[in-house]
Amino acid sequence: MTTQATALAGYTRLTELIADLTDAQVAEPSALPGWTRGHVLAHLTNLTAAMARQAELEGTPTEVYDGGQAGRDAAIEAAAGRSADEHRAALAAAVERLTAAWAGVRDWGAPVAYRSGTLLTTVHAVWREVQIHALDLDLGPVTWSTEFCEHTIDFLAPRVPDGVRLVLVADGRRWELGEGEEVELRGSLQDLTAWLAGREPAGEVAGPEVALAPWPSAAAPAR
């Protein structure tokens, strides 16, 4: 099971990735269409602070971002142009806040507005967001654990389109998602996970093309 320590450990690798980031690199495109690396870092910083607030207000569900989706998007745009040093400092402060907030949690089953879940749901969210967006920064290799890939495949199962039973085969293992006509894809576990997350796999994913449904909405029930 994912723990706070596991989720927080992702920030260690992220910090290493951006340790030598320059201002010029911040302004360069990330692997996400329309976003620079500055946008990715701003999002991660804001998400980290938002999840800290969920823990600080334990037992009092509140929206994740002030102003909802529009507020989230505006805050990312406002912070994307920070210098590399400013991004590093802002992220470090947010991580420190989150670490302190999680240390003070009394009940991880306390409800939150995020995905109509619990505070444990926010731990899973941080785990996914940091690991996946570290890859999006396109600053070097990012390795995902087997545990993380298994969790992410389960979380992203709703992306399988209606009428399809998607079979993922990796490293001698097999996952079956959805119901309908069978479609089989083969590759490494990380490559299949990256593909399901809408990212470009580092290696080959063998099989027919599949048009995935959108990423599960933040308003969707927790998985």
Side-chain angles (χ1 to χ4, degrees), residues 2 124 127-128 146-156:
T2 310
H124 293 155
W127 193 29
R128 289 190 302 269
T146 298
E147 180 187 16
F148 176 77
C149 291
E150 291 173 342
H151 164 78
T152 303
I153 287 173
D154 178 66
F155 173 75
L156 294 175

Side-chain angles (χ1 to χ4, degrees), residues 133-212:
H133 286 310
L135 186 68
D136 293 333
L137 287 170
D138 196 23
L139 290 170
V142 174
T143 301
W144 294 339
S145 69
T146 298
E147 180 187 16
F148 176 77
C149 291
E150 291 173 342
H151 164 78
T152 303
I153 287 173
D154 178 66
F155 173 75
L156 294 175
R159 298 202 72 193
V160 177
D162 292 340
V164 172
R165 179 163 63 93
L166 182 64
V167 178
L168 304 178
V169 180
D171 307 327
R173 297 184 58 191
R174 177 184 178 97
W175 288 261
E176 295 186 8
L177 312 174
E179 297 181 357
E181 182 179 356
E182 181 174 317
V183 176
E184 182 178 287
L185 298 179
R186 291 178 173 268
S188 73
L189 180 55
Q190 176 154 335
D191 284 339
L192 289 172
T193 305
W195 171 82
L196 192 58
R199 271 61 182 180
E200 185 68 29
E204 180 184 4
V205 170
E209 290 189 12
V210 178
L212 294 170

Side-chain angles (χ1 to χ4, degrees), residues 51-141:
M51 293 308 181
R53 183 170 70 169
Q54 299 296 300
E56 292 163 352
L57 298 176
E58 179 181 348
T60 306
T62 186
E63 63 180 350
V64 178
Y65 299 102
D66 292 333
Q69 183 69 32
R72 166 195 177 276
D73 295 346
I76 291 171
E77 288 295 335
R82 289 170 173 158
S83 69
D85 283 342
E86 288 170 336
H87 275 296
R88 280 187 282 266
L91 180 63
V95 173
E96 182 178 3
R97 178 182 173 185
L98 179 64
T99 302
W102 280 358
V105 169
R106 300 178 301 278
D107 178 14
W108 288 100
V112 294
Y114 179 77
R115 297 190 179 279
S116 301
T118 66
L119 280 173
L120 184 58
T121 307
T122 69
V123 176
H124 293 155
V126 168
W127 193 29
R128 289 190 302 269
E129 294 281 328
V130 172
Q131 294 287 339
I132 292 173
H133 286 310
L135 186 68
D136 293 333
L137 287 170
D138 196 23
L139 290 170

Side-chain angles (χ1 to χ4, degrees), residues 22-33:
T22 66
D23 292 348
Q25 288 175 310
V26 167
E28 291 173 350
S30 72
L32 287 177

